[in-house]
Amino acid sequence: MKSIFHLILTALLLCSVFSCATGTALVTGTQRPATKSDEVVVYTEAPEKYEVIGIVTASSDAGWTAQESLDLALAELKKQAAKIGANGIILENIGTSISGGMVMYGVYIPVTAKDVSGKAIFVEE
């Protein structure tokens, strides 16, 4: 029983040490000066007046829970959008993927990630 506890604890520690949120931004429109990621608004439906700047993606396997991983992925998505001058994101996809895994004591432990993507937009105010 003690070795199973150590196995689980070691796996969790390794996952948290080697995991992170990553993302990309592809400019498809006119790039604007960078904005602040905490000011980027996430939309589930398109606002009235906006301009598409690009496509952003992000993934995170760093959270202790699925919700934490999703929150970290969304924070990275906002950071990617802000880098290309967006002040909004139209969220298009939320999913889960296997981002890797490790073998410990002969047991394969998969690492899952939350993946998000959307259109980086500039909303006219």
Side-chain angles (χ1 to χ4, degrees):
M1 184 69 173
K2 191 174 182 181
S3 65
I4 292 174
F5 174 75
H6 284 125
L7 170 68
I8 293 170
L9 182 61
T10 303
L12 289 173
L13 288 174
L14 284 173
C15 287
S16 66
V17 169
F18 294 110
S19 301
C20 61
T22 60
T24 61
L26 172 65
V27 177
T28 60
T30 303
Q31 186 168 347
R32 295 175 175 265
T35 59
K36 295 180 180 178
S37 62
D38 60 346
E39 295 175 356
V40 175
V41 177
V42 177
Y43 298 91
T44 55
E45 296 193 20
E48 263 188 57
K49 292 179 121 185
Y50 68 94
E51 173 189 338
V52 176
I53 297 174
I55 300 167
V56 288
T57 64
S59 180
S60 175
D61 57 6
W64 290 102
T65 65
Q67 184 63 54
E68 282 183 335
S69 290
L70 180 58
D71 292 344
L72 291 167
L74 284 171
E76 180 64 26
L77 195 69
K78 289 173 139 188
K79 186 188 308 181
Q80 294 298 322
K83 285 191 327 190
I84 61 173
N87 63 2
I89 299 168
I90 302 173
L91 193 59
E92 295 183 322
N93 294 306
I94 299 175
T96 303
S97 64
I98 302 296
S99 65
M102 64 182 102
V103 177
M104 298 193 81
Y105 304 105
V107 177
Y108 178 76
I109 302 168
V111 177
T112 59
K114 285 294 183 181
D115 306 313
V116 291
S117 64
K119 290 179 184 170
I121 60 172
F122 186 81
V123 180
E124 302 292 335
E125 295 182 13

